[in-house]
Each structure stands twice: as C-alpha cells, then as structure tokens.
Amino acid sequence: MSAVYSGVFPIAPTPFHPDGGLDLTSAERLFAHYAAIGSDGLTVLGIMGEAPKLEPNESIAMLKVAVKAMAGKPIIVGVSAPGFAAMRSLAREAMEAGAAAVMIAPPSHLRTDDSIVGYYADAVAAIGADVPFVIQDYPLVTSVQMTPGVIRRIVTDNPSCVMLKAEDWPGLEKISTLRRWQADGSVRPLSIMTANGGLFLDFEMERGADGSNTGYAFPEMLIEVVAHAKARRRDAAHDLFDAHLPLLRYEQQPGVGLAVRKYVMMRRGLIACDAQRKPGGSLSATARAEIDYLLGRLARTDPRASL
Amino acid sequence: MSAVYSGVFPIAPTPFHPDGGLDLTSAERLFAHYAAIGSDGLTVLGIMGEAPKLEPNESIAMLKVAVKAMAGKPIIVGVSAPGFAAMRSLAREAMEAGAAAVMIAPPSHLRTDDSIVGYYADAVAAIGADVPFVIQDYPLVTSVQMTPGVIRRIVTDNPSCVMLKAEDWPGLEKISTLRRWQADGSVRPLSIMTANGGLFLDFEMERGADGSNTGYAFPEMLIEVVAHAKARRRDAAHDLFDAHLPLLRYEQQPGVGLAVRKYVMMRRGLIACDAQRKPGGSLSATARAEIDYLLGRLARTDPRASL
Amino acid sequence: MSAVYSGVFPIAPTPFHPDGGLDLTSAERLFAHYAAIGSDGLTVLGIMGEAPKLEPNESIAMLKVAVKAMAGKPIIVGVSAPGFAAMRSLAREAMEAGAAAVMIAPPSHLRTDDSIVGYYADAVAAIGADVPFVIQDYPLVTSVQMTPGVIRRIVTDNPSCVMLKAEDWPGLEKISTLRRWQADGSVRPLSIMTANGGLFLDFEMERGADGSNTGYAFPEMLIEVVAHAKARRRDAAHDLFDAHLPLLRYEQQPGVGLAVRKYVMMRRGLIACDAQRKPGGSLSATARAEIDYLLGRLARTDPRASL
Amino acid sequence: MSAVYSGVFPIAPTPFHPDGGLDLTSAERLFAHYAAIGSDGLTVLGIMGEAPKLEPNESIAMLKVAVKAMAGKPIIVGVSAPGFAAMRSLAREAMEAGAAAVMIAPPSHLRTDDSIVGYYADAVAAIGADVPFVIQDYPLVTSVQMTPGVIRRIVTDNPSCVMLKAEDWPGLEKISTLRRWQADGSVRPLSIMTANGGLFLDFEMERGADGSNTGYAFPEMLIEVVAHAKARRRDAAHDLFDAHLPLLRYEQQPGVGLAVRKYVMMRRGLIACDAQRKPGGSLSATARAEIDYLLGRLARTDPRASL
C-alpha cells in the first residue's frame, strides 16, 4: 500500500499579538520547531488555524512562512469556504505560493450521499483537477456524515484526491473498512492521516493509518507515537500516548481546546502570546491552573512538559 | 413610529451569462427596472444573490451598478461570512462603494440567546459601530431561532442596527410583539421589512411591517401591495396578492426557487439568461411548462404576466 | 400502474375538550364527515394528530372510532416512536383494532443513505413483515433527507411497503423520478400520496401522485381537486385550488398550523372545541380575525366557507 | 451547600439474553454489585439503559429489581419521551414502584432559552409538581444548549427540581458558574452530578460537583475518585483516574460505547451477555482485542481489570 503522505503533519495554530495583529515572528519560530522535531509536513489555515479570521493577504503570508520553514516538505492548506469563488481563489493563490495540496471540508447542510459526492465534484471543477486535495471527514464539527462508501466514491471519481483526513468519532472501523477495500482492490491506495485531536491515535495507527494530521501542544509526542507504531513497538507507543492522554483530553474539548493548545505552546515558548481573534475561547484562572497541574504530572515521565 | 427604511427593497439576483461570467449589462437593465417601477431601495449580494459564488471584485462591480442605477436610493449589501475578517473587508469596501447599510445573518451553529446577542456584538466590533446594519432573521435557512427578546437585546445594544429583515416562519406574531414593545417604549423604533419570498406580505403589512425586502419575479406586485396596505386598501391589497400567490408559492420553494425567479425574469426580458453558478438549482422541462401555465393564469388578471 | 391506495386520505386531528380530555363525540362527528364527503381512507395518530400527547388507550379509542366511521375504508395509523418496542406495541394493537397499515417517519438523527435504509429494515423486523407500512418523507419536520434512490431501496427491500407519503419540499421532481423509474421497471409500483399541507397538490397530481394524504380544514377541496386532476380537468383543478390557496397557506404554517386547522373546523361545526394538549400552538385574536377574513374572501367562490 | 444527592449513582445498562429477552437475573447480579461497592444511588432507564427499546412492563420490572437491590438508596428513572402523555405515565408508574426521582432530557428541536424553560414548565405540569426531577444537560446527544442562566431559571421556577445531571462538553466552567451563583445566593442549592462518560470527573469534582452519575464498566473507580476528591486527596484521585482514562476514553465513544461497556461488564461476570436490542452498536473482533489489550494494561495498576 503506497501512500502519498505519511508520518506527522501538525495542524498549525496561527499566532497573534495581544492586540490581534498577526505574529509572523512567532509563526517562524513555531514552524521552525515543527521542522526541527521531524515533522513530515504541515497543515495551515485549518479550522484550528483560525483561518476565517484572517484577511487574504494574512493567509498567504502565513503560508509563505510555512513553506520556507518546512524546506520542501509538503504544506496542506485549508480552503473550505461557503462558496466556490473564494475556494478557487484561495486554492489558486495557495498553490502559487508553494502549497502541496488543499483541504476541503463539506458544508454543514449536506445530508444525502449523492449531495456529498456532488459537492466534491463541484469543488474539483472549481479549483481545477490538477490541484491535489484532502477530504476532511470531521462530523463532530461539520455535521456531515460520510460512510466509507461515500469516501470511496469521492476517491474513485476524483484522481486528484490524495488523502483522507480521518476525524470521525468513532472512527476506527472506518479506517479498517477502507484498508480492507484497498486490500481487495475495490478502492485505490489512499493516504489516511488521523486527527480529532489525536484522541485515538494509538489505535488508529494499528488500524492502518499512515500518520497523524492533528494539532497538539506537544507534536513531538505525535511523531514518536507514530514512529513507535510504524516500528511495531506497541507497548512503547501506548506508554507514551497514555502519559499524554490526560492533557490531550483536556486540549481536545470543543471550543475551548484551541485556548488550551495556545496556552501550553506559549508556556513552551513556541509562540509569544496565546491570544485568539474573535470569536475565541479563553481560559479562566482555574483552567490555567488545571493545565499547569496536568503539565506537572506529565513532566514526571516526559521532561518536555517541565516548564 | 419612525423607521429609517420603508417601502420595497427588492432582493436582486445576480445575472450570469450562459458560461457563468458575470452579466453586468443585464444587471444594469434589471436595476434600472427596479428604479423605474418605484423601488425604495435595493438589497444586493444576499443569499438569493448568489453572493458566495462571486469573486470580491465581482461583488463590488455589482454593487456599483446598483448604486448608479438607484440614484441615491439606499443599497443594502449582504456581508454574512464565516469569519469576521471577510465580513469586515466586504463591509468596508461596500460602504466605500456607496452602500447605505450591510446585512448580517447569524451563523448556523448559534444556539443560545446569549450566543446570538454576543455574535452581533462581535460583528459590530468587526465592521465598526459607524456602519448601519440589518439583522437577517431567517431560521428556515440559518437554523438560528431569535425570540423577540433577543432581537430587542441586539437592537438596544447596538445603535447602528437600523432594520430587521423579518423572515421567520411563522412570523406574524413576532412583528406584532415588536411593534407592541415599540409602542410601550420597551424597544426603540426599528424598521421592519419582511421577506421569506413574500408568502405572508399581505398580513405582515397589517401587523405593522414597514415594507418588503424580498425577491419575486414581479417586484411591481410587492410595491403595489405595500402601497395598498399603507393606504389601508385592504381588499385591493389581498386581491392583487392572491392573484400572484400561486406563482409566488412556486417561486418560494427552497433551493429551486431562484431558478424559478430567474426563469421568469428572463422571460420578462429583465435579464438575458437564467443561468446560475454552481451549485445551483435547475428547472426540468416539466417545471418550466408549469411556470408558463401559472403565468398564463396570472395574465388573466395581471397583464404584466402576459409574456 | 396499479397502486394500493388512491384518492384522498385526510390526516385527522384529535379533538379535545377545553379541559384537555379526549372528545370522542367530536371524533365521531368529524370522522363521519370524512366518510360522508367521500374520503377514500383516513390517517390517524400522525404528527398533526397530536399522537405523542395521547395515552395508549386513548390512541386505540381514536382508532376504533375511525374504523367504525369509515366502514371498511382503509385506516393508516402513525406509529413513529423513539424506540422499536413502542413502535411494535402500537403497530400490533393498531392492526388488531382494524388498521389497514401503519406509517413510519425516520428519527431525526439519521444522516447517511445506509442508515435510513437500515432503519426501515429494523422497523420492519420489529413490527413484522406482514404489517403494511407507509414511508413518511417529511424533511421539514424530521430533518432526514431521502433521495429517490433511498426510497427505491426501501421499497425494494421491503415487500410490506405499500405507500410513500410524499411531503418533501420541493417535491415535484422526486415524484417524477419515482414514476419514471416505475415506468422503466426499476422500481415496483408504489402508491404515492402527497401531503405537506397540500401546498403543491395541484401540480403533484399532474406529476403522477395517486392522491392526497394531508390535513386541511376543507377536505372537500382536496377530494375535488384530486377528482378534477384524475379526470384531467386541469383548469378546474387549479381554479378550485387557487381559491383556497390563501387560507391553505395560512394553515400550513409550522407550529401554529394545527391551531388554524382546528379553529376553522370548530367554526365549521366539525369539532366542538379547538383545544390542543400541551405543547400546542394557539391563536391570538388578531390571527383569528385574519382567518375569519380569509374565510370571508373564500366564501365568495366557495359557499362552504360561509360560516 | 447542601445537596440532596451526592456520591456516585451509576447509570445502569439493561442486560439482555442473546435472543433479546430481558435478563432480570443479570440485572439482579449487576445491581447487587452496585450496592455492594457502595453506590449512593442508581439511575435506570436512561439513554445508555436502552430505555426506548423496552416495553412498559419491562421498564417497571427493571426498576423494581433496582429498588430491591439498592435497599433504600435513591433510584432515578429516565422518563424522557416524545410526548407528555408517555412521560406522565412512566413517571407516575415509576414513583409508585419506588423511584426517588425522574430524569428529563429536553427534546432535540428546542432552540431558544424561553422554549427550554417552557418545556420544563410543561413537563412539571404533566408529571406533577410533587415528583422530584433531574435536568439532563447533554448537548452532544440532545443538540440542546442550556446556558447556566437557563438552568438557573428552571431551578428557580420549579421547586421539584432536585439535581442537574451535568454532561455538557466542555462543562467545567458551567459548574463553576453555578456554584458561584449558589455562593452569592442567586440560585438555590442544587445537587450537581456529572456524566458524559466520566471524561472530566477528575476536575469536575474540584469544580464543585457533588458526585458522578455516569456509567463506566468499573464503577468502583468512579466511587474511589469521588471519595478521594471529597477528602481532598488530589493526586490520589488523578492517579486512579489517569490509570483508567485510556479505557474510559475507549468506552466513551458515541454509539459504540455501550457495546464496550457491556463487553467489559460481561468479561467481569457482572452480566451474562453483552447483547443489545436493535438498533445497537456491536464490536468487531479487532475492537474486542483492543479492549482486552487496554484491560491488560490497566491490570498492571488496578487488579480489578485482571480478567
């Protein structure tokens, strides 16, 4: 089974100054860190990258920093938009600025299987069949439910589909089904990278995922778990994953999760400030103390959490 | 009860050539027609104006045609967007290009009263408190339900709120409640113009609406019904409205309604072509024949439908 | 094309006394009226029959009155329930009490095509493959969207499926598609009766519907429109339909529509009281006056509205 | 702060035989286990108790087994229903059979603050103001979002409201807000027990929860974590919680979670069979092996997981 993308592509947050201005210096530092720890690629301007809060020129500026920092590693750019005009513009500009592929989530009003398949056909017609794209399957956020059969139809209909970002919940059986279909030839080889905050990364790798395409304040953990899994060091993968799970679970909360991630990244020195543009979640003093407590507990086994 | 906006502000469709190109010549002809029949204003780039399918420069081009054609009458511009960055950009550019106000619909994930009120506070912070704005209350499309109390909170919190585009369904009691509150001083005077395809325009005027802010292939009917209602010619208003109701009902179908509207406008010679950009509804031959039949029936009492 | 059910099966409301008690005397009078005007069948305990507000013994009492009054004509009973245990109990009791078929709407959480098809398979397993059932396709209320292909799968998988209650909106093309498939043999003959308040009954009959299965305060109109359509008296069908459309539209409002229907039926003397059990819509004095005005206008062409 | 209910009230699953018959022998054994380990009460017939799949007589049979096994400890009974008739019947029968209180979740169509408050008012009118009731706040399943202010209104309006089952996600700040309001006197004392699979039990107790009202295959862990938290043994609470978190997370998956719970309970010998009635999730062989692996890892620190 060959797959185009593999390993860990962190979902990058977008750093802001306290006044809401784009903090490109922090972005450079953060992206350099992603590169230094061995990330295999990067996704920018996704849901957790606060993409809809950026002006078009800011989006491209972020992308260019990423392209430069990752030095040839693939950059995936989120281009989900309420209309195909904006999607096409952003996709075209992103590819010109050095992106390797774009990521498209379905709009929340889609219900029937045919309407989902049709949407991706229209999206490909809009961005061009030469632009590689990633399906984002994230029902918790989009309300759109894709069966494995629908994913197969999209993959089969569109040669430019290069990856599934798998963040259904539960999602383990979906990975197994797609891999079984790939094995029996009923779907072509497809890169599957998992997300949903990494909550099931341990078992997703065992089910056949190619890697992780999610955010977490310690992307090093994602990289090491994926490496352990690929080397079939099962217990080592779970030991490391389980040590991080209490914090990872805290960071995976809807809405407030990005505030947790940015707070820890700020404490790690990866970004200067944990500010979000509106509308954004914020942390109470109690929540920050809870995170500090979790970091202290994690530091007993992972010194990187000793901040 | 004073109200800033009153009368009929048609919701303008966006005309395209058969190949999907923007048809500004048709836009000029259509907008000149709106002006000639006595429209009191115009709304462009709304949901039925296929706004998300336009490039930013196309949106501004449409707006400029409208501003010129309407010669000083107010133009309202839809600026709903998934993020405040795009909303701010479009609002700023629209005001510079001559718009009188912008229209904002709430995003579909909003649920609690506080989250809706907070959304409009954030939107006003984004576009600037000096930009007049219209609340679009359209639960059938947005899934967001605003009680009269929530509308009152938004109106009271934001002096720049100048109008409610009322298209809840059912919506008659909501208009009565707001007008009763206005009469007893618990909410400041507010322009209320109704929409939802005009399906209840006859009674909405009697409940206290200031006018109509919807699309329909015969905006003349909207103008005359509103005029009859304001002059308290009740039977005349209903007679005209009822004559159009079979066609109006056909045009008000979700999804396919815009195709009906554009088809009739094309048959009327107001636009050259009824094409929509993707994703768009289309009419079967049977549907077109049904509309032709309805036009024929309508022409018995309204010669404008004799095409 | 043979169809099991055809003509008009009114959706019966459930009459209550002012104190909320079940008014079986009014039910007898109302059902006798349905029989006297030539209804071809009847549906009881549907969404508009306030079924979830009835105790099990009250439901069966209502059904027995209907069976007796309709004297051999088929009675369809709504058995939608949050669990298969209640559905099975009610279906079994209904068939024992003389029902001809049961009606099942899908629960609102269903999204994918397979989940809808699977739900009906489970429902048939629960109620028994010997119990004829009707698919209720009403996305405005259920949020579940069934493509024609999904309906075909349910019809093909389940020989006990005898009818589609078609109340999608828009729904005309869905009827045409199913009839085209029936003509080319790709789906077996299926009774299609339409609903959604009757808002498109005029054209639904022309598209191939077998009849009407909806409520309206003047079921005589439904019967006559269906008869005109079957006799291909097109103009006569539309003339009568259009005369009623202003009131029908008023009665088709979500939530408050049942209050309108019961009010008119009370004014007609068909039921003693327009009370609903909680939670129920109610009419303001203004709304009642609006209905009276619409009745007065209708009475100019249909003397049955002269109350 | 006094609270009526405190400690741990497990959410009990309903055991079935392989053929789907109710397994009251397993229920007796399971409930005896709940009593033996020191549960402070029990909830039966909730969402995870497969309540909608039970016949009314089966529901009451389950309840009677629970009442007997728990010997005077309070039993809460889920009575959520699509209509108030069924809710009233079940509530009345449950109280007669020895229940201490009933639990009511809001129906999924509720949107505005007022509609939620109004629903609980109607529910109390239906079941009687003398029947103690629990608010179930579970937006992930119900789609209904209640702000702290809405909960305060329900609590204040209805003296018979005795508890909040808090399973919003995220939910920590909601607990803090309600406790702050209780401290400043703006809401009366209220029992708050948390759920959502226990995913945040560690911090919920620190935020002021009175205990846990959720299911988990090792209710002993819930009891011990709550005891540690009440005794302010913070590290001990987290140590035990974290050891279980990998399995707890696996059991908390939507849809399939109940299958996980029943499988582990079957392996523990608490129930004879892990069957569910339709529609129910099931486990693949791979999933069962994953659970076995998690149990093996857990057994290293908690011998109860050595099966």
Side-chain angles (χ1 to χ4, degrees), chain A residues 23-46:
Chain A
D23 180 1
L24 287 175
T25 306
S26 283
E28 286 171 14
R29 187 161 70 241
L30 175 63
F31 296 168
H33 180 76
Y34 286 135
I37 61 176
S39 302
D40 302 284
L42 203 61
T43 293
V44 296
L45 307 178

Side-chain angles (χ1 to χ4, degrees), chain A residues 173 207 235 284 290 293, chain D residues 173 207 235 239 284 290 293:
Chain A
E173 298 301 331
R207 294 290 187 119
D235 290 345
S284 66
E290 288 168 345
Y293 178 70
Chain D
E173 298 301 332
R207 294 291 187 119
D235 289 346
D239 286 345
S284 66
E290 288 168 344
Y293 178 70

Side-chain angles (χ1 to χ4, degrees), chain C residues 62-126:
Chain C
M62 272 289 289
L63 171 56
K64 287 183 175 171
V65 172
V67 169
K68 187 175 174 193
M70 293 299 290
K73 298 271 178 64
I75 310 294
I76 301 173
V77 179
V79 298
S80 301
F84 289 130
M87 184 188 291
R88 181 177 45 232
S89 295
L90 186 50
R92 198 162 44 207
E93 289 175 26
M95 296 305 288
E96 282 168 13
V102 300
M103 178 170 67
I104 300 170
S108 63
H109 65 271
L110 297 183
R111 285 289 171 270
T112 68
D113 289 6
D114 288 348
S115 68
I116 301 168
V117 172
Y119 180 81
Y120 276 95
D122 286 348
V124 169

Side-chain angles (χ1 to χ4, degrees), chain B residues 107-167:
Chain B
S108 63
H109 64 271
L110 297 183
R111 287 288 171 269
T112 68
D113 288 8
D114 287 350
S115 68
I116 301 168
V117 172
Y119 180 80
Y120 277 94
D122 286 348
V124 169
I127 64 173
D130 57 327
V131 174
F133 77 94
V134 171
I135 303 169
Q136 185 173 19
D137 180 23
Y138 198 5
L140 187 66
V141 165
T142 63
S143 303
V144 178
Q145 292 184 16
M146 304 189 206
T147 60
V150 161
I151 294 167
R152 176 165 58 181
R153 287 172 63 188
I154 298 169
V155 170
T156 302
D157 290 354
N158 301 287
S160 55
C161 178
V162 292
M163 181 180 131
L164 172 68
K165 187 181 183 197
E167 38 193 341

Side-chain angles (χ1 to χ4, degrees), chain D residues 76-264:
Chain D
I76 301 173
V77 178
V79 298
S80 300
F84 290 130
M87 184 188 292
R88 181 178 45 232
S89 295
L90 185 50
R92 198 164 43 208
E93 290 176 24
M95 297 304 288
E96 282 168 13
V102 300
M103 178 170 67
I104 300 171
S108 63
H109 64 270
L110 297 182
R111 286 291 172 269
T112 68
D113 289 8
D114 288 349
S115 68
I116 301 168
V117 171
Y119 180 81
Y120 277 94
D122 287 348
V124 168
I127 63 173
D130 56 326
V131 174
F133 78 93
V134 171
I135 303 169
Q136 184 173 22
D137 179 23
Y138 197 6
L140 186 66
V141 165
T142 64
S143 302
V144 178
Q145 292 184 16
M146 305 188 206
T147 59
V150 162
I151 294 167
R152 175 165 59 181
R153 287 172 62 187
I154 298 169
V155 170
T156 302
D157 291 353
N158 302 286
S160 55
C161 177
V162 292
M163 182 180 131
L164 172 68
K165 186 182 184 199
E167 37 193 343
D168 199 354
W169 180 50
L172 295 175
E173 298 301 332
K174 189 179 278 189
I175 297 170
S176 292
T177 298
L178 288 168
R179 287 310 188 208
R180 193 170 59 244
W181 287 350
Q182 186 171 334
D184 71 19
S186 63
V187 69
R188 66 174 167 84
L190 174 75
S191 182
I192 300 178
M193 296 181 82
T194 64
N196 191 25
L199 196 62
F200 282 85
L201 179 60
D202 47 349
F203 289 112
E204 287 162 346
M205 292 305 298
E206 302 177 8
R207 294 291 187 119
D210 292 299
S212 174
N213 184 211
T214 196
Y216 176 51
F218 292 91
E220 299 89 339
M221 182 276 278
L222 306 175
I223 291 171
E224 291 167 20
V225 165
V226 167
H228 283 315
K230 295 205 169 190
R232 301 194 176 273
R233 294 186 295 266
R234 188 181 204 191
D235 289 346
H238 282 274
D239 286 345
L240 178 60
F241 181 83
D242 288 359
H244 280 265
L245 185 54
L247 175 61
L248 186 148
R249 165 233 25 187
Y250 201 99
E251 189 180 308
Q252 198 241 2
Q253 296 177 83
V256 77
L258 180 59
V260 178
R261 184 174 300 164
K262 283 191 154 183
Y263 172 73
V264 177

Side-chain angles (χ1 to χ4, degrees), chain C residues 213-232:
Chain C
N213 184 211
T214 196
Y216 176 52
F218 291 92
E220 298 89 339
M221 183 277 279
L222 305 176
I223 291 171
E224 291 167 21
V225 165
V226 167
H228 283 315
K230 295 205 169 190
R232 301 193 178 273

